[in-house]
Amino acid sequence: AMMFNREAEDYYVSERTSSNINYTQHKHGHVRFEQGVDWSKSFVSEFSVVYSDNEFDPKIDFGPFSVADALQEEDNVDVKLHNQWSYHESHSLEFGLDYRYSNMKAFNLVTSTSTTYELYPDATRKNSGLYIQSQNSFVTGTDVIFGARYDHYNNIGSSISPRLGVVQSITQQQTVKFLYGEAFRAPTINELMLRDFSGGVVGNPDLKPETIDTWELIWIGQWEKQSVTINGFYNEIESVIFRDETLPSSNFENKAEDEAFYGVEAEYSVQINKNWQLNANGSYFRNLPDSDFRQSEKLASFIVNYHRDHWNLNISATYAGVRKMQIQTDTVPISDYWLVNGKWQYAFSQNISVFLQAKNLLDEEYETPPQRNRHTDPLPNRGRETSIGLSVNFD
């Protein structure tokens, strides 16, 4: 079982930045039951049931509506059954099913004048899935994985998503992987039912699900102290769900034409000596969908870690390339940035340690795009943050 309560004041909520008004409270609780059964040495099953409850209660400045209160409540029941059958030393089969029932209460906006706007009504969602996957190893150093998943959503439809993976060892240190898969994304409740504040429908109950086909070719090299991974990928999305943000009250729609983007990712890791370790990675995307103009085409990060006896120190840095924000019908670029973080830790024992951490160590002033076009300026981000803590683990 788990419960948490999170509160935030002077926060960025629903594309609004009203520091003296905005306030949110988020409550979450869930109870989980799990049971595993070993039917034999080669056949095992895992069964789980989870009940969860979420409550999101914001107070927001909605401009002409002044201060507004809103309450979102949702409870879910998740049931999963997973089976693994190792019927041969080189062949195995995984299969199972999952089911989710979601009950979402009406999302109402109550203004300071006690006027109520229904953003979406009571809604329920039921989705079920079946999957099967076979993994086979051959003496030639080839592993083949293939399978499929069936998803069904009430009032939306069904989809079958196949997947295939071929892993080939070239040498003792080098491996090549080819992966293909299809994925299925059902429209969210907002995309289906959301209304604007004056009652005009911006959701679209006739939306079709998005589907994405992904091809990947990966090369992996692993040596005694170093490893390198290079991954090239190509993604094609059908029935993309989008909304014309230049119009104040437009419906969500499915694009008639497909969208495709591709790119490359690389990762390098080296154990310099027994105390020093370096990890670095970078990503480059091309032809991102029009709706992803807020995303950067270039990302990078690295971590240098030093460990000796009870001491551990790491310095990390992340890079985000140029992104864009929308102002009316135009998109405007936002500068790229580097962020540096650091953490020092001392372990008194295996279970007790203290740490000192700094985020945005160099106090970089950087900006990010708002999620919608309500602003004419990019959003500022936090400067340097420092924290000190004590970590205690109980066996």
Side-chain angles (χ1 to χ4, degrees), residues 105-270:
K105 295 184 179 179
F107 184 22
N108 295 318
L109 184 73
V110 183
T111 70
S112 56
T113 59
S114 299
T115 304
T116 299
Y117 295 90
E118 186 179 73
L119 301 187
Y120 59 73
D122 289 341
T124 59
R125 169 168 283 188
K126 304 172 187 177
N127 62 279
S128 53
L130 299 170
Y131 63 89
I132 185 169
Q133 179 172 288
S134 176
Q135 183 167 345
N136 307 274
S137 300
F138 302 95
V139 293
T140 57
T142 304
D143 290 343
V144 179
I145 302 170
F146 59 90
R149 178 180 174 87
Y150 169 81
D151 287 286
H152 175 76
Y153 285 77
N154 66 315
N155 302 325
I156 294 176
S158 304
S159 176
I160 297 177
S161 305
R163 61 183 57 186
L164 170 67
V166 179
V167 182
Q168 178 65 55
S169 296
I170 303 174
T171 66
Q172 190 173 356
Q173 292 82 23
Q174 299 181 68
T175 303
V176 173
K177 296 182 180 182
F178 169 77
L179 305 177
Y180 169 77
E182 296 182 15
F184 167 90
R185 186 182 82 81
T188 66
I189 294 300
N190 282 352
E191 292 168 340
L192 291 169
M193 299 182 177
L194 185 65
R195 298 183 172 98
D196 73 8
F197 312 134
S198 60
V201 177
V202 295
N204 181 356
D206 297 322
L207 284 176
K208 297 186 295 182
E210 289 182 348
T211 59
I212 180 169
D213 295 349
T214 300
W215 291 264
E216 294 184 76
L217 184 61
I218 306 169
W219 174 81
I220 302 173
Q222 292 181 311
W223 295 270
E224 183 179 357
K225 295 183 178 181
Q226 301 181 76
S227 65
V228 180
T229 301
I230 300 176
N231 177 17
F233 59 87
Y234 177 86
N235 296 326
E236 186 173 350
I237 310 175
E238 299 178 12
S239 302
V240 175
I241 297 173
F242 78 105
R243 180 176 179 269
D244 188 348
E245 297 184 26
T246 63
L247 302 177
S249 182
S250 61
N251 288 0
F252 288 99
E253 298 178 13
N254 291 107
K255 281 194 173 182
E257 66 277 5
D258 297 345
E259 291 188 345
F261 65 96
Y262 54 93
V264 63
E265 299 174 335
E267 183 174 352
Y268 174 70
S269 177
V270 57

Side-chain angles (χ1 to χ4, degrees), residues 313-317 340-344 355-361 385-387:
L313 173 66
N314 67 60
I315 300 293
S316 64
V340 179
N341 307 306
K343 184 176 182 180
W344 167 87
F355 66 86
L356 175 64
Q357 180 171 300
K359 297 180 180 179
N360 193 2
L361 185 62
E385 299 177 64
T386 57
S387 59

Side-chain angles (χ1 to χ4, degrees), residues 75-89:
D75 56 86
N76 305 286
V77 177
D78 292 272
V79 180
K80 295 183 179 181
L81 174 63
H82 176 75
N83 304 282
Q84 183 168 345
W85 180 24
S86 301
Y87 57 91
H88 186 274
E89 61 180 8

Side-chain angles (χ1 to χ4, degrees), residues 1-16:
M2 184 185 77
M3 298 183 66
F4 74 75
N5 180 57
R6 179 185 296 125
E7 298 182 19
E9 297 182 7
D10 298 345
Y11 216 65
Y12 173 69
V13 181
S14 188
E15 296 84 44
R16 305 287 179 171

Side-chain angles (χ1 to χ4, degrees), residues 29-102:
H30 77 249
V31 178
R32 182 183 189 91
F33 169 80
E34 289 184 343
Q35 179 64 55
V37 180
D38 294 340
W39 303 102
S40 67
K41 291 183 179 180
S42 61
F43 193 99
V44 297
S45 300
E46 295 178 356
F47 174 76
S48 67
V49 179
V50 179
Y51 171 80
S52 61
D53 180 80
N54 290 281
E55 184 178 302
F56 182 63
D57 186 9
K59 178 177 288 187
I60 312 169
D61 176 7
F62 268 116
F65 298 96
S66 188
V67 181
D69 288 288
L71 179 63
Q72 287 179 288
E73 295 179 275
E74 175 184 345
D75 56 86
N76 305 286
V77 177
D78 292 272
V79 180
K80 295 183 179 181
L81 174 63
H82 176 75
N83 304 282
Q84 183 168 345
W85 180 24
S86 301
Y87 57 91
H88 186 274
E89 61 180 8
S90 301
H91 307 282
S92 63
L93 193 67
E94 296 184 28
F95 58 96
L97 58 87
D98 49 61
Y99 173 82
R100 163 170 276 210
Y101 175 84
S102 299

